[in-house]
Amino acid sequence: MLSGLLIGRLSSMAGRVCIARSNAGSGTIGPVEAAIRTKLEQALNPEVLELRNESGGHAVPPGSETHFRVAVVSSRFEGLSSLQRHRLVHAALSEELAGPVHALAIQTRTPDQWRENPQLDTSPPCLGRNKKTRGTP
């Protein structure tokens, strides 16, 4: 499941799985990524937390921590709509979303939903900074 293009860290503790993937360039986990992971673990006690720093695929300086994709699998999502689940994630990451994080793609699932489909979606490639720099009318 780990792509050769992504640098991954897999750890399992007390029945939980945490996967970190980065394509920001260096393969190290930066302070924003670490804060996202810690806050989601504390707020949602996830069974699975998969986090990708996708900043390296965007028009940002190397080593940036601005674009992330997260999959959170938690029993706290039982009975909640997708909107309610996303609101829980946004509440946990309000500081990061108000500051350094420009984009956050969120997948939220219950443990049963994750067992049915344990895949993290992929983001489309970045098209550039804006329409003028892409040459689009």
Side-chain angles (χ1 to χ4, degrees):
M1 189 158 104
L2 292 175
S3 167
L5 298 175
L6 300 172
I7 298 169
R9 182 186 76 180
L10 174 63
S11 63
S12 178
M13 35 190 161
R16 296 183 337 184
V17 176
C18 299
I19 300 172
R21 298 178 178 186
S22 178
N23 68 359
S26 67
T28 61
I29 295 176
V32 176
E33 187 171 348
I36 290 171
R37 176 171 305 286
T38 298
K39 289 180 179 183
L40 290 175
E41 287 174 345
Q42 291 173 349
L44 301 171
N45 191 29
E47 291 185 23
V48 176
L49 175 59
E50 196 166 336
L51 178 62
R52 279 188 199 162
N53 180 352
E54 297 183 332
S55 303
H58 296 273
V60 296
S64 292
E65 293 186 279
T66 55
H67 296 69
F68 290 91
R69 174 172 290 282
V70 64
V72 185
V73 178
S74 175
S75 58
R76 295 243 357 243
F77 297 143
E78 296 285 350
L80 298 180
S81 70
S82 181
L83 179 61
Q84 291 169 318
R85 296 173 184 190
H86 282 227
R87 285 180 175 160
L88 288 175
V89 172
H90 276 251
L93 303 178
S94 60
E95 185 178 342
E96 289 71 23
L97 292 169
V101 175
H102 168 74
L104 179 65
I106 303 170
Q107 286 178 253
T108 56
R109 297 197 182 136
T110 65
D112 286 340
Q113 290 170 327
W114 183 254
R115 280 189 284 282
E116 290 173 19
N117 180 14
Q119 298 294 320
L120 182 63
D121 293 340
T122 57
S123 295
C126 178
L127 296 176
R129 297 187 181 149
N130 59 46
K131 289 181 180 179
K132 289 182 182 178
T133 60
R134 285 196 312 259
T136 304

